[in-house]
Amino acid sequence: MKVVCDGFNLSEAVMRVVKACATKTPVPVMECIKISAENDGLTLSATDGEISITKKVKAEIMEEGEVCVPGKFFADFVKKLEGEELTLTSTERRMSISYGKNKSDIQTLSAEDFPVIDTDINENYFKVDTFLLKKAIEGTTFCCATDDSRPILKGCQILLKDAYADVTSIDGYRLATYRMKIKESSGENEIVCPARTLNEINKLLAGADTTVYMQKNHILVNTDDTTVTSRLYTGDFIKKDSIIPADCATTVICSREDLKISIERASVYVRGEKNCLIIFDISDGKLQITSNSEIGMVDETIQADVSGKDLKIAMNSRYVIEAISVMDDEKVEMRFNSMIQPFTIQGEENKDALYLILPVRTGNNA
């Protein structure tokens, strides 16, 4: 293989696909980026067995071929050559990188050992406004579980029904769900996509609309010269309608920004504690936010429209901040039932997104 390409374009492509390289694997080729030179460009590919990313780059192909290079090392080195014209030449076990009067070389592995990436995924699909898809991903993936005790909770459920796609995540302590109108689809469907995959898809989304393809527990999104494919999780996802309360005893409507700033201040003295505990005291038509630790205490009251029963409830401040940080409404509506039941947060006007949070049990409500 021998090719000439622009350093910036190659670096940009490498930094995109290296995210799919495996780490801590007994199979060395899974830590590699596969470089294929043919026709009028390079195709870079990486996979860890769950997610795969492929990107094409324009290049002058002097000799076709393919080779695998260690992903992380190659990415770090090429990143420092963005202003250069590069000539890549591979031999049996090495690939040389020439730039100006200088040269480097890196070890390689056989491309024959690299896993086959299936991109023939088109049995089912849905088409959606790209802006809405980005909002749905950003508004739900942060609520996915991060441990392996229940792998399916490391992903988001995407439920296609009645011209809508509901994207839902839950980690056992909180739930996020976002509803978006779809433009086209092959019919009703339900998948659970890894949060990591959705976040990588979100980075490459562009254009007015995005089509998501699904087939045999796999998902594919193709944008410009980049293709992301991934395995989907299998199993039964929690039914959100059985968790989200239909009614409430107390409603609080307040400025989203005032609430966020007040909770952030109240969080300062408790951020090192396990639950980042703050307390809402809803009474006499006002919302009082307090926190208390060995470091210090905060006691603030913000203006709010309150209706229903008085209530005092403890919660993890981080969960509330993360929820309202991805919302756009000027005002948020919080709905409570009791000090031990989950409460919900939505925009006052935009009801597409909903966040449900479990309160923290304390000595007063245990």
Side-chain angles (χ1 to χ4, degrees), residues 2-5 62 85-89 95-100 103-104:
K2 186 174 183 180
V3 304
V4 178
C5 60
M62 305 174 71
E85 182 180 80
L86 309 181
T87 300
L88 310 181
T89 307
M95 184 178 76
S96 69
I97 307 169
S98 300
Y99 44 102
K103 186 175 76 170
S104 171

Side-chain angles (χ1 to χ4, degrees), residues 50-336:
E50 179 179 88
I51 184 174
S52 304
I53 303 177
T54 300
K55 185 170 179 61
K56 295 182 179 180
V57 184
K58 288 185 178 180
E60 180 185 350
I61 309 301
M62 305 174 71
E63 182 180 335
E64 293 188 347
E66 53 185 13
V67 69
C68 291
V69 295
K72 303 295 185 184
F73 291 104
F74 186 61
D76 289 345
F77 190 76
V78 172
K79 180 69 175 175
K80 303 182 185 302
L81 297 173
E82 291 187 346
E84 304 284 347
E85 182 180 80
L86 309 181
T87 300
L88 310 181
T89 307
S90 67
T91 56
E92 185 175 349
R93 294 185 178 275
R94 314 289 288 185
M95 184 178 76
S96 69
I97 307 169
S98 300
Y99 44 102
K101 297 181 180 181
N102 304 306
K103 186 175 76 170
S104 171
D105 68 82
I106 187 171
Q107 69 176 15
T108 62
L109 295 177
S110 172
E112 294 180 358
D113 298 326
F114 193 82
V116 175
I117 298 175
D118 183 11
T119 56
D120 187 19
I121 300 171
N122 55 18
E123 183 177 331
N124 301 295
Y125 77 96
F126 69 91
K127 184 177 181 180
V128 65
D129 181 280
T130 299
F131 175 78
L132 293 181
L133 181 57
K134 290 179 72 70
K135 291 292 294 182
I137 293 172
E138 294 165 2
T140 56
T141 52
F142 68 90
C143 282
C144 290
T146 56
D147 61 79
D148 294 321
S149 59
R150 297 186 66 185
I152 198 169
L153 298 187
K154 295 173 67 177
C156 291
Q157 178 200 56
I158 302 177
L159 182 64
L160 303 174
K161 188 176 181 180
D162 298 333
Y164 289 94
D166 288 345
V167 183
T168 303
S169 61
I170 184 170
D171 66 3
Y173 301 97
R174 53 184 172 164
L175 174 148
T177 186
Y178 191 101
R179 168 165 285 192
M180 54 184 174
K181 182 84 171 177
I182 55 178
K183 295 186 174 183
E184 297 177 20
S185 78
S186 56
E188 295 186 1
N189 211 327
E190 178 184 349
I191 63 172
V192 181
C193 184
R196 176 188 170 205
T197 298
L198 290 173
N199 287 328
E200 288 302 322
I201 288 172
N202 189 41
K203 294 174 185 177
L204 65 91
L205 290 177
D209 298 321
T210 297
T211 302
V212 179
Y213 297 94
M214 303 157 287
Q215 181 173 313
K216 297 179 181 178
N217 296 322
H218 282 78
I219 189 172
L220 179 147
V221 174
N222 185 23
T223 301
D224 294 329
D225 293 322
T226 305
T227 300
V228 176
T229 62
S230 174
R231 294 181 183 272
L232 300 173
Y233 293 139
T234 58
D236 294 328
F237 199 83
I238 293 173
K239 298 185 184 302
K240 64 180 175 64
D241 292 339
S242 66
I243 300 175
I244 300 173
D247 302 311
C248 70
T250 305
T251 301
V252 176
I253 298 175
C254 62
S255 162
R256 184 182 69 86
E257 190 62 24
D258 289 349
L259 179 65
K260 182 173 181 286
I261 292 173
S262 182
I263 295 176
E264 287 176 341
R265 286 194 290 258
S267 306
V268 171
Y269 297 144
V270 296
R271 63 188 173 196
E273 299 184 355
K274 179 181 178 181
N275 291 316
C276 303
L277 188 69
I278 63 169
I279 295 174
F280 282 5
D281 189 346
I282 306 164
S283 61
D284 300 326
K286 62 184 181 182
L287 172 59
Q288 183 180 15
I289 302 172
T290 61
S291 66
N292 196 354
S293 72
E294 293 181 356
I295 304 299
M297 63 85 64
V298 174
D299 186 341
E300 296 191 10
T301 300
I302 66 172
Q303 184 176 351
D305 295 326
V306 178
S307 60
K309 299 179 180 179
D310 292 350
L311 177 69
K312 182 179 286 189
I313 184 170
M315 66 197 66
N316 187 315
S317 60
R318 180 171 64 88
Y319 293 168
V320 182
I321 291 172
E322 289 182 344
I324 61 180
S325 292
V326 296
M327 300 171 68
D328 296 325
D329 282 48
E330 291 186 6
K331 291 188 175 183
V332 296
E333 178 181 83
M334 297 181 287
R335 295 162 62 90
F336 305 87

Side-chain angles (χ1 to χ4, degrees), residues 15-32:
M15 296 308 294
R16 172 65 65 197
V17 303
V18 74
K19 302 291 184 64
C21 287
T23 57
K24 298 179 181 179
T25 173
V27 185
V29 75
M30 299 286 278
E31 298 179 0
C32 290

